Amino acid sequence: MLPLIVTGLEISDLINEMKAMVSEHYPNPPVVEAVCEFIFSSDTPWDSTVPGLLYEKIKQDYPIKETRNRQSIDTSRGNKQQIEVVEGIAFISADRNSQILTVPRIVAIVYTKPYPSWDIFFKRIKEIYTYINDIQPITSIDRIGLMYVDKIIIPSQEPTLDLEEYFNFRPELGENSPFEMINFSLDCTLTFNDNRDICRVSLRDAMAKDKTESVFILSTDYSIAMPKTIEPSSAIEWIDSAHASLIEVFESSITEKTRDIFRS
C-alpha cells in the first residue's frame, strides 16, 4: 500500500486493493484542466529574449499573446521572504483550449476541456521542453509538476449521495456518527520512489447547476519533492512515469460506478 500523509477529515482506506492499472480512454473524460509545469533553478540562465524566441517556434499553433502575472516568493533576503508579482506571457491557441505560460525560469503547458489525449499532451510537453533547452540550455530543475483537475458530475435525485458508491478516496465520519455532512474538502499527500516524488490528492464537493446532479472536484498534483532531484536529461522520462502514477492514483480514488459515468 502507498504510504500516506493525511490532512483534513479522517478517511477510509484510499486503496482497497492495490493492483496494476491500465490507462483507459473514456469517451466522456472528466478532465477540465491538465498542467505540466517546469520551474528551472536560478543557475539556469534566463533573459527577456527567451519568450520571444519561443514564440517564433510555436506561433503557428499559439498565435495569441496575453500578459499573465504570477506571484513568487523572493528568498534572496535570507529569513525575510517577500511575495512579489512577476509579469509573464501566455501564448494561446486560436481555440483557447491550450496555452503555454512563460514567467522567468517557469514554463507551463496547459490544456483545458475538451482534453485531447495523453499522447497529444505529452507530445506538446516534449516539444516545448526541447525548444526551451535549445534556446537556453537547462542547467537544473527546482520543480517538475504534472497536475490534473477532474470535474466529476454524478446524476442523482437524492438529497444526499452515498460517497462510498463512487469514491474510494472520501471523507468518513464513522459508522456511529450522529452528524450529517453537507460539504467537505479532503487532502492528502502520497509518496513515491523512496520519497523522491509526491502526489497531492484533493477531493471536494462543488456547486451543482440543479438538484438532478452532484458535482465533485478531484485534483491530483504529482511533482518532485525536493529541487534538483531530476537531471534535465531525464525530465521527459520522469513526466511519462509521473503520468502512469497519476493514472494509478486516479483509478484508485474512484469506483466502477464512477467509471461507468465516464464511459457513457
Side-chain angles (χ1 to χ4, degrees):
M1 179 174 281
L2 295 175
L4 295 177
I5 305 168
V6 180
T7 61
L9 294 172
E10 181 179 352
I11 63 172
S12 64
D13 291 340
L14 174 61
I15 301 169
N16 295 325
E17 294 181 2
M18 182 54 69
K19 60 182 180 179
M21 298 240 176
V22 179
S23 175
E24 177 176 352
H25 178 72
Y26 295 112
N28 183 29
V31 181
V32 293
E33 185 177 43
V35 182
C36 180
E37 181 186 64
F38 297 94
I39 300 180
F40 305 118
S41 304
S42 58
D43 55 3
T44 295
W46 189 283
D47 60 42
S48 59
T49 66
V50 174
L53 293 172
L54 176 61
Y55 179 68
E56 288 302 311
K57 293 177 179 291
I58 65 174
K59 61 184 179 182
Q60 184 173 348
D61 293 329
Y62 296 88
I64 303 169
K65 291 193 290 185
E66 294 181 0
T67 300
R68 290 284 191 274
N69 292 329
R70 177 188 173 109
Q71 288 187 340
S72 67
I73 299 177
D74 181 6
T75 58
S76 61
R77 302 182 183 182
N79 294 328
K80 295 184 178 180
Q81 296 185 351
Q82 183 174 348
I83 297 177
E84 57 181 14
V85 177
V86 181
E87 184 175 290
I89 301 175
F91 305 119
I92 305 169
S93 61
D95 62 4
R96 305 189 76 88
N97 177 237
S98 176
Q99 56 184 294
I100 311 300
L101 305 177
T102 63
V103 180
R105 295 189 180 85
I106 300 174
V107 175
I109 301 94
V110 182
Y111 275 91
T112 54
K113 190 178 181 67
Y115 176 67
S117 69
W118 171 242
D119 289 342
I120 292 174
F121 188 24
F122 187 46
K123 180 179 178 181
R124 184 67 72 184
I125 293 169
K126 290 189 290 185
E127 177 185 74
I128 298 301
Y129 186 81
T130 300
Y131 286 158
I132 291 293
N133 198 43
D134 289 343
I135 294 167
Q136 182 58 70
I138 299 164
T139 305
S140 55
I141 302 172
D142 277 353
R143 184 182 190 275
I144 317 176
L146 187 62
M147 181 184 73
Y148 279 80
V149 179
D150 297 287
K151 185 177 183 180
I152 300 173
I153 301 175
I154 301 174
S156 174
Q157 300 290 340
E158 301 298 326
T160 59
L161 193 75
D162 186 356
L163 293 177
E164 187 175 0
E165 293 185 14
Y166 296 93
F167 298 99
N168 293 322
F169 176 69
R170 63 185 185 273
E172 189 169 302
L173 296 178
E175 184 177 353
N176 298 319
S177 173
F179 306 111
E180 180 180 351
M181 191 185 311
I182 59 172
N183 55 60
F184 69 89
S185 179
L186 177 66
D187 302 276
C188 77
T189 302
L190 312 178
T191 66
F192 292 79
N193 298 311
D194 296 324
N195 298 328
R196 185 200 65 187
D197 304 334
I198 58 174
C199 183
R200 295 183 175 91
V201 188
S202 173
L203 179 67
R204 63 178 176 84
D205 60 329
M207 184 71 68
K209 65 179 181 180
D210 55 46
K211 295 181 179 180
T212 64
E213 64 182 30
S214 296
V215 180
F216 303 91
I217 304 298
L218 176 63
S219 300
T220 48
D221 185 0
Y222 191 100
S223 66
I224 54 175
M226 298 293 292
K228 301 183 180 181
T229 52
I230 296 295
E231 293 296 323
S233 59
S234 301
I236 297 302
E237 180 183 356
W238 181 93
I239 290 167
D240 199 25
S241 176
H243 179 255
S245 295
L246 280 177
I247 290 173
E248 187 178 20
V249 172
F250 176 77
E251 294 291 346
S252 297
S253 299
I254 61 175
T255 67
E256 195 65 22
K257 197 168 183 177
T258 304
R259 294 185 190 97
D260 287 340
I261 296 172
F262 308 150
R263 294 175 181 134
S264 61

